[in-house]
Amino acid sequence: MEKKKFYSIGEIADKTGVSIRTLHYYDDIGLLTPAKDESSGHRKYSEDDIIKLQKIISYKFIGFSLEQIKEILSEQKFNMNLVDSLTMQKKLFEKEKKRIETSISAIDRATKIIHEHGEIDSVVLMSLIRSMQTEDKQREWLESYFDKDVVDMIYVQTEGEMQKLDNVFIDFTKRVKELVGSPVDSPEVINLIEEYMKSTLSLFDDNFMETLATQTSKLDEINYDELEKLAPTPFSKEEEEWLNKAMEHYIKQSKFGEN
């Protein structure tokens, strides 16, 4: 009869890539409990232990917690309960994947902004990054006020158009901070607002403008405090109040949006 082969904890660590510390922990919590050498007390792992450890590694890889793995290992056969668990794990990974992709996109945009401008106010940059982070929630928020087709048109911008919009916004914030406190009817302030409005709206086609025009009455219903939570303003309270007055004056004197 062939003698059963055992491996030391160091050999198992080398064979599987699982650290000795982790193997100790698995033993402590009863997840993988190898036999002990009667004379030395050292752990000795069998071939069955190695198979069990490979299962643990596999289940961890697909996102199960150690507590869940302990329950799964006790099952001799699997049924639809495991399918449900796997489906839930997949959804969690898809959500995490989307979060990572959003983070990477935000990093790319922030990097391009800094390259473009050389330096940028930290508050402005953080405001832009926060806005990128909450884009999905902003979309949901907009859909609570406007028809979905209008919102969809807002979010079909190309990467180049988004970069242009970022640059327009950064240049605008710089000028606002320089001009804050100036008379809202001064040529400089009117020109600032006009250039910003035209630069922003130039990214949208006539179809969007026509569709939006049919829903302008909804602008009065908007709760801007909700938007502030999703996309915090880079302006101080003083700057925000002045900018609102400047915008209101521009819209009134230019009858902006009227045909």
Side-chain angles (χ1 to χ4, degrees):
M1 184 176 178
E2 187 177 349
K3 187 178 179 181
K4 194 172 183 179
K5 185 173 183 179
F6 289 95
Y7 301 88
S8 70
I9 193 168
E11 289 173 324
I12 291 296
D14 289 340
K15 185 182 285 287
T16 64
V18 178
S19 70
I20 291 176
R21 183 177 179 181
T22 298
L23 291 169
H24 281 164
Y25 180 64
Y26 288 171
D27 190 2
D28 291 341
I29 65 174
L31 183 61
L32 181 64
T33 53
K36 304 292 191 299
D37 187 283
E38 294 181 0
S39 59
S40 66
H42 292 162
R43 297 171 177 82
K44 54 180 188 177
Y45 292 83
S46 66
E47 295 287 350
D48 288 341
D49 289 327
I50 294 176
I51 293 172
K52 190 174 183 180
L53 180 57
Q54 294 293 356
K55 288 181 180 178
I56 293 170
I57 294 169
S58 297
Y59 293 136
K60 274 193 69 181
F61 174 72
I62 57 177
F64 286 113
S65 68
L66 295 182
E67 197 61 39
Q68 290 172 312
I69 293 172
K70 189 183 291 188
E71 292 179 13
I72 293 171
L73 289 174
S74 66
E75 299 288 341
Q76 296 300 315
K77 294 183 179 180
F78 296 125
N79 54 30
M80 289 303 295
N81 289 333
L82 180 64
V83 174
D84 291 340
S85 296
L86 290 171
T87 301
M88 184 171 67
Q89 287 302 125
K90 180 183 177 183
K91 288 180 179 177
L92 291 173
F93 277 126
E94 286 173 342
K95 186 176 181 181
E96 180 64 8
K97 177 186 176 184
K98 188 170 185 179
R99 186 195 67 78
I100 291 172
E101 288 174 344
T102 300
S103 297
I104 291 172
S105 177
I107 290 170
D108 286 342
R109 283 174 66 181
T111 302
K112 287 176 182 176
I113 287 168
I114 294 172
H115 278 305
E116 180 80 18
H117 295 269
E119 61 179 31
I120 179 174
D121 186 295
S122 61
V123 176
V124 175
L125 183 61
M126 290 307 104
S127 174
L128 281 169
I129 290 175
R130 176 60 178 162
S131 181
M132 298 172 203
Q133 180 187 3
T134 61
E135 188 172 285
D136 285 345
K137 290 182 179 179
Q138 290 178 55
R139 186 169 187 154
E140 290 176 10
W141 176 81
L142 282 169
E143 287 180 359
S144 68
Y145 292 100
F146 299 99
D147 293 345
K148 188 176 182 300
D149 57 344
V150 172
V151 179
D152 287 343
M153 290 179 192
I154 295 173
Y155 288 93
V156 294
Q157 307 301 319
T158 65
E159 184 178 333
E161 288 169 336
M162 290 305 299
Q163 186 176 352
K164 179 181 177 182
L165 195 58
D166 289 340
N167 290 330
V168 166
F169 180 70
I170 291 166
D171 290 337
F172 177 67
T173 58
K174 286 181 181 178
R175 292 291 291 142
V176 167
K177 292 177 182 295
E178 290 170 357
L179 291 174
V180 66
S182 301
V184 295
D185 59 352
S186 69
E188 276 190 309
V189 174
I190 292 173
N191 186 56
L192 168 67
I193 304 297
E194 184 171 50
E195 285 185 357
Y196 177 66
M197 298 287 263
K198 287 182 176 179
S199 295
T200 303
L201 294 175
S202 68
L203 296 172
F204 303 100
D205 59 23
D206 292 340
N207 183 38
F208 171 79
M209 298 305 296
E210 290 171 5
T211 306
L212 182 62
T214 65
Q215 301 180 42
T216 52
S217 60
K218 298 181 181 181
L219 292 172
D220 295 331
E221 304 171 12
I222 294 178
N223 183 341
Y224 290 98
D225 289 337
E226 294 175 351
L227 179 60
E228 172 67 16
K229 294 175 185 176
L230 298 175
T233 175
F235 301 117
S236 67
K237 184 178 179 180
E238 178 190 1
E239 291 167 343
E240 193 73 27
E241 289 175 352
W242 176 85
L243 180 57
N244 288 338
K245 290 177 182 177
M247 286 282 193
E248 288 173 9
H249 174 78
Y250 172 78
I251 291 171
K252 286 178 183 177
Q253 66 90 31
S254 65
K255 296 184 178 180
F256 181 79
E258 294 185 9
N259 294 322

